[in-house]
Every structure is written in structure tokens, then in C-alpha cells.
Amino acid sequence: MDVSFEQLKSMVVFAQIVEQGSFSAAARKLGISRGVVSYHLKKLEDHIGIPLLNRTTRSISLTDAGQRYYLRCKRISEEAAAANQQVENLREEPEGKITISAPVNISMHTIVPALNTFKTLYPKIEIDLNLTDDIVNIIQEGVDLAIRGAPLVDSGLYARKLMTMKNVLCGAPSYFNQHGVPQTPAELAHHEWVVYKKTSKIQTLTKGTRSYNVKMQGSITTNSASARTAFVVGGHGIGRLPQYDALPLVKEGKLQIILNDYQLSDIQIYGVYPPRAADSKKMQLLLDYLQSHFTQQLADND
């Protein structure tokens, strides 16, 4: 069966419907109308004579035939993207857009300053930075690079470790004036905490070969790292904060570090990206730059 140019377009559209999860999302991704997306799917199904999708008013799912056909369509779409990427990499000066998703707090402290310098070095590269503390679906949202504070679970994504950040326990002087400064891990169980929802409520401190587990309990819980810091500064309890966040406030006298002879688990920061971005020259330049920038930054702070 011959494949026309029109059918090739329809196959790419079909792959995007599956990957984006809806006709509307595929239309946004491709920059076409929802009606054109529906047109391509109908033409494709009419041409091969087999339904590819089960459709309801609320959801879509692949038929058995659609699942097999999608794998081939996906390969065509990926090969086309790879061809474009190879040509792009031949340019002497990298250009094009990189869409980045990153957590709010760490971005304002570390990512944005790094991107400021990177943009000066490579002015033709466009940066589309989206700040959110939610873990976005990289494929569906069209994200080229996501900054995350955890290693990858089993997935088809790639990851590169960018830096290791230390954590510290601290509180406001006003809090310690009222409740006292804990001198041992055991005393932490009797203190108020500002609890960050995105981490475990069990805090582990180590010293030598001994480990101590403390359950964080408090009347303030938040899913925002920035809000956590603000509540700790406000004197509402003890918090586990990234060192980059805490040290400037310690120097200003707004926070006090406690039990600093004990070790806390570090935060591992990764750059996570889809396979389509793995061979991108501009992406590798950005990852190399971020890794180098953070290594130098940590050396300067030691």
C-alpha cells in the first residue's frame, strides 16, 4: 500500500493525539485547529479501514490495531524530529527555543541567575521558563527540560545530575527565645515544625555511625518551599531548608541553624528531558552550562 504525503501528515497528527491525550491538546501542540485534527484522524481511519481510537465525550483510548499503528506513527514523528535536530546542530551558533519547567523557590535562587548568564552567552536561544512546584508531564506539556529534586523512576525519559544541595535545620530567633534551642535530635520531637508536603515527615539525622529519626509535626503545612521558608522566618516552627535558602537569612539574623554537627540527607537536583531532546546541541549546551555553573557556585560557597 503506497503512502501519500497527506497520509504522512495524518500519521504524525495521530501520534500527537495519543501522546497529548486529547484532540484539543494535539491541536495546541501542532498549532492547528481541533477540526483539522479530527479531519486527519478520519482520513487515516477511512484509508486503512480500521478504527484506531475508541472515543467517548470524556476520553480516548487506543484500539488493538491503533496501538500497533501508533508505534509506527510515533517512529515516523521521531525520525522527522531527529532529522530537524541534526540540521539544527550544524549551525555554528545555536538557536531555537528551550521550554523549561522548574520549581519556584530553587529557580529564583539558582536557576534564573544561571539562565541570565546563559542567555547572554547564547542570545539566539529562546528561553521559555515555567515555574511550578507540580511535577508536569514532560511529553504532554511539550517541555524540553524539567528541573527535579529526585532521580527518575522507571520511564522513557533521560536525566542528568546537575548538583547536590545540602539541607540545614533552622528556626527564627523569636521561636527559640520562646521555646528554647534543641540540643539533641530527641528534643526535636517536642518542637513545632513547618511541614513541607513534598518531603517525608520523617526527618533523619546522622552522626558518625548513628542515625536518629524524628517525626515532624506542626500546625502549619504547605506545598510551597517559599512559603515554608517564610513561615519559619515568621517564628512558627523549625524547618528543614536548603542551605542556599537558609544562609542569606542566617547572615541577616533572621534564622539560626541548629544541630549543625548532625548530617541531613542532601537534595539531588536533576535535569530531566525527553528522548527527542537528547541529541539537541542547544540542550546539551544548557545542561553542560548548568552543571558547570552549579559546581562553581558550590565551590565558592564552601
Side-chain angles (χ1 to χ4, degrees), residues 38-55:
S38 297
Y39 164 81
H40 277 289
L41 179 65
K42 184 177 186 306
K43 291 287 289 184
L44 199 58
E45 289 182 325
D46 288 348
H47 181 74
I48 62 178
I50 300 175
L52 299 174
L53 291 177
N54 298 309
R55 299 185 284 282

Side-chain angles (χ1 to χ4, degrees), residues 138 143-146 156-160 271-275 277-278 283-284 287:
I138 291 176
V143 172
D144 299 309
L145 176 66
L157 302 175
Y158 293 14
R160 188 197 292 193
V272 179
Y273 50 99
M283 175 65 77
Q284 295 307 316
L287 289 169

Side-chain angles (χ1 to χ4, degrees), residues 103 147-151 266-270:
I147 307 299
R148 293 184 177 169
D266 295 330
I267 305 174
Q268 310 296 334
I269 303 299
Y270 291 82

Side-chain angles (χ1 to χ4, degrees), residues 109-283:
H109 281 86
T110 63
I111 305 298
V112 171
L115 291 176
N116 260 325
T117 308
F118 179 80
K119 189 70 174 75
T120 302
L121 293 172
Y122 303 101
K124 289 189 177 181
I125 294 180
E126 301 173 41
I127 300 295
D128 180 5
L129 177 63
N130 302 284
L131 300 185
T132 175
D133 289 334
D134 295 329
I135 296 178
V136 302
N137 186 310
I138 291 176
I139 302 298
Q140 288 188 4
E141 297 295 328
V143 172
D144 299 309
L145 176 66
I147 307 299
R148 293 184 177 169
L152 277 176
V153 295
D154 184 26
S155 74
L157 302 175
Y158 293 14
R160 188 197 292 193
K161 184 177 173 182
L162 299 177
M163 62 174 156
T164 298
M165 298 190 307
K166 295 186 179 299
N167 286 303
V168 293
L169 294 183
C170 51
S174 60
Y175 175 83
F176 292 131
N177 288 339
Q178 184 176 355
H179 300 281
V181 179
Q183 302 298 321
T184 66
E187 293 179 36
L188 291 171
H190 306 294
H191 280 264
E192 279 282 305
W193 289 80
V194 176
V195 180
Y196 184 47
K197 288 182 180 180
K198 297 186 180 247
T199 59
S200 170
K201 287 188 177 182
I202 303 299
Q203 187 61 246
T204 301
L205 295 84
T206 59
K207 189 174 186 179
T209 59
R210 299 196 63 184
S211 294
Y212 307 86
N213 292 326
V214 179
K215 185 175 182 180
M216 295 185 288
Q217 300 181 88
S219 58
I220 294 180
T221 302
T222 179
N223 66 345
S224 165
S226 299
R228 172 189 56 186
T229 300
F231 283 128
V232 175
V233 170
H236 298 289
I238 295 169
R240 186 187 83 160
L241 304 182
Q243 193 176 63
Y244 71 79
D245 206 359
L247 289 184
L249 296 168
V250 171
K251 291 178 181 178
E252 294 174 18
K254 295 179 179 179
L255 288 180
Q256 178 181 338
I257 295 176
I258 60 171
L259 299 173
N260 57 1
D261 52 336
Y262 290 84
Q263 299 295 315
L264 303 176
S265 59
D266 295 330
I267 305 174
Q268 310 296 334
I269 303 299
Y270 291 82
V272 179
Y273 50 99
R276 59 179 165 76
D279 297 323
S280 167
K281 181 179 179 180
K282 63 180 182 290
M283 175 65 77

